[in-house]
Amino acid sequence: MKKYLILITIALLNITYGIAQEKKLRIYLNYNKNYNYINYRTGKIKINKGTPNEYEISNIYSLGLEKKAFNLSLNIRYFINEKLGLNFGFSNVSKEFTINYDEWYIYSDPVTGEHSPPQRGMKMIYYNFPVLASYTVMNKKKLKVTHSLGVTTNVYYSNVDGYRLVSNQSLGIWEKENIDYNNKYAKKVFLNATFMVDVDILFFKWGGINLGGVADFGLTNCLKEPKISRLITLQIKAGIFIQ
């Protein structure tokens, strides 16, 4: 992914050279540290007991999410005038979920007869596409501060792995069994309201250093089973910009 972002950056530099000469375009390559949270509310879940038309009703009693994640991002900001601009971007990020069901619920596989406790785990990869409106709040000779507001779309790409815990009754332990969930429990597309702050420090004629922060607030559910499953991501970023 790092190689792809570098190649895309080089290609964009060649394509947008004419615009860049007017100082209306800035291209950003950032390294990001993400802090993830999830706001969820469970509801009654209908789960097949292993025979046709026979179900049990369960709840999700806890939902885990990988707290920290790191990724690279590529963003383009076009300045319409001295104050207003448009920001477009691309990045990829993984989301690792753990779903724990009510403790009394144990699932029996209708084919193998194996039992699993109330836990599922999955690691999903998403592509992120922010579309933001920008407003410059400070513009000095070497320093520019910009606020941006808009929507980021998370688009499902693949699942790295999934698992459930299987009961080994002879040993009296739970064992991890890898499963390809094929996005059974997660949404393929979900939306976030995005607020971003950028501080650009110009060191050279061609560019400089970018520092900033991003806050994403889930507008739509990211998982299928809970009634509510909204992601909240706070991001610290650092990188370079080219103009």
Side-chain angles (χ1 to χ4, degrees), residues 102-122:
D102 277 342
E103 295 182 5
W104 57 264
Y105 167 68
I106 293 182
Y107 170 69
S108 178
D109 190 286
V111 177
T112 65
E114 293 177 331
H115 294 274
S116 64
Q119 187 181 96
R120 304 284 187 272
M122 53 194 164

Side-chain angles (χ1 to χ4, degrees), residues 179-193:
I179 296 176
D180 181 5
Y181 281 136
N182 194 25
N183 199 29
K184 181 179 179 181
Y185 297 97
K187 297 285 189 179
K188 288 187 176 180
V189 178
F190 56 91
L191 303 177
N192 304 285

Side-chain angles (χ1 to χ4, degrees), residues 45-50 54-61 99-110 114-120 164-165 174 184-185 225:
I45 302 165
K46 189 189 242 187
I47 305 176
N48 191 287
K49 291 177 65 176
E54 190 178 0
Y55 295 90
E56 288 178 344
I57 303 299
S58 181
N59 277 307
I60 294 173
Y61 75 87
I99 303 174
N100 296 287
Y101 299 92
D102 277 342
E103 295 182 5
W104 57 264
Y105 167 68
I106 293 182
Y107 170 69
S108 178
D109 190 286
E114 293 177 331
H115 294 274
S116 64
Q119 187 181 96
R120 304 284 187 272
R164 66 178 182 178
L165 297 183
W174 299 114
K184 181 179 179 181
Y185 297 97
E225 287 186 325

Side-chain angles (χ1 to χ4, degrees), residues 214-227:
V214 183
D216 280 332
F217 302 94
L219 296 175
T220 57
N221 290 341
C222 59
L223 295 174
K224 293 181 178 179
E225 287 186 325
K227 273 186 152 182

Side-chain angles (χ1 to χ4, degrees), residues 162-180:
Y163 72 86
R164 66 178 182 178
L165 297 183
V166 178
S167 173
N168 187 328
Q169 296 184 358
S170 62
L171 297 178
I173 60 173
W174 299 114
E175 295 179 334
K176 181 181 285 190
E177 178 182 79
N178 292 328
I179 296 176
D180 181 5

Side-chain angles (χ1 to χ4, degrees), residues 113-208:
E114 293 177 331
H115 294 274
S116 64
Q119 187 181 96
R120 304 284 187 272
M122 53 194 164
K123 189 170 185 178
M124 323 299 291
I125 296 178
Y126 291 90
Y127 288 147
N128 300 336
F129 299 96
V131 178
L132 312 174
S134 299
Y135 183 79
T136 301
V137 297
M138 180 185 294
N139 191 4
K140 303 295 184 180
K141 186 176 181 180
K142 297 288 185 180
L143 180 67
K144 180 175 283 194
V145 180
T146 307
H147 293 174
S148 301
L149 184 66
V151 175
T152 296
T153 304
N154 293 56
V155 181
Y156 168 79
Y157 171 66
S158 72
N159 56 320
V160 177
D161 53 26
Y163 72 86
R164 66 178 182 178
L165 297 183
V166 178
S167 173
N168 187 328
Q169 296 184 358
S170 62
L171 297 178
I173 60 173
W174 299 114
E175 295 179 334
K176 181 181 285 190
E177 178 182 79
N178 292 328
I179 296 176
D180 181 5
Y181 281 136
N182 194 25
N183 199 29
K184 181 179 179 181
Y185 297 97
K187 297 285 189 179
K188 288 187 176 180
V189 178
F190 56 91
L191 303 177
N192 304 285
T194 300
F195 176 71
M196 181 166 67
V197 176
D198 285 286
V199 178
D200 294 348
I201 306 171
L202 188 67
F203 283 104
F204 310 99
K205 289 183 177 181
W206 53 266

Side-chain angles (χ1 to χ4, degrees), residues 2-98:
K2 294 180 181 179
K3 293 181 180 178
Y4 290 131
L5 285 173
I6 293 172
L7 290 174
I8 292 172
T9 303
I10 294 172
L12 287 171
L13 283 173
N14 291 327
I15 294 172
T16 59
Y17 178 76
I19 302 176
Q21 292 304 299
E22 300 177 7
K23 307 299 182 183
K24 288 189 174 182
L25 191 75
R26 289 189 176 183
I27 300 173
Y28 299 83
L29 183 63
N30 289 93
Y31 178 76
N32 312 301
K33 186 174 184 179
N34 303 286
Y35 297 88
N36 300 310
Y37 306 88
I38 189 165
N39 176 31
Y40 77 96
R41 188 175 69 187
T42 187
K44 296 296 182 181
I45 302 165
K46 189 189 242 187
I47 305 176
N48 191 287
K49 291 177 65 176
T51 57
N53 301 318
E54 190 178 0
Y55 295 90
E56 288 178 344
I57 303 299
S58 181
N59 277 307
I60 294 173
Y61 75 87
S62 70
L63 201 160
L65 172 66
E66 186 179 27
K67 294 298 182 185
K68 296 180 182 179
F70 304 89
N71 70 310
L72 292 175
S73 63
L74 176 67
N75 288 273
I76 300 172
R77 178 173 288 119
Y78 176 73
F79 294 97
I80 300 172
N81 53 42
E82 290 185 359
K83 290 290 186 181
L84 300 178
L86 296 174
N87 190 90
F88 306 93
F90 168 80
S91 65
N92 79 312
V93 67
S94 64
K95 308 286 187 186
E96 187 169 353
F97 301 99
T98 302

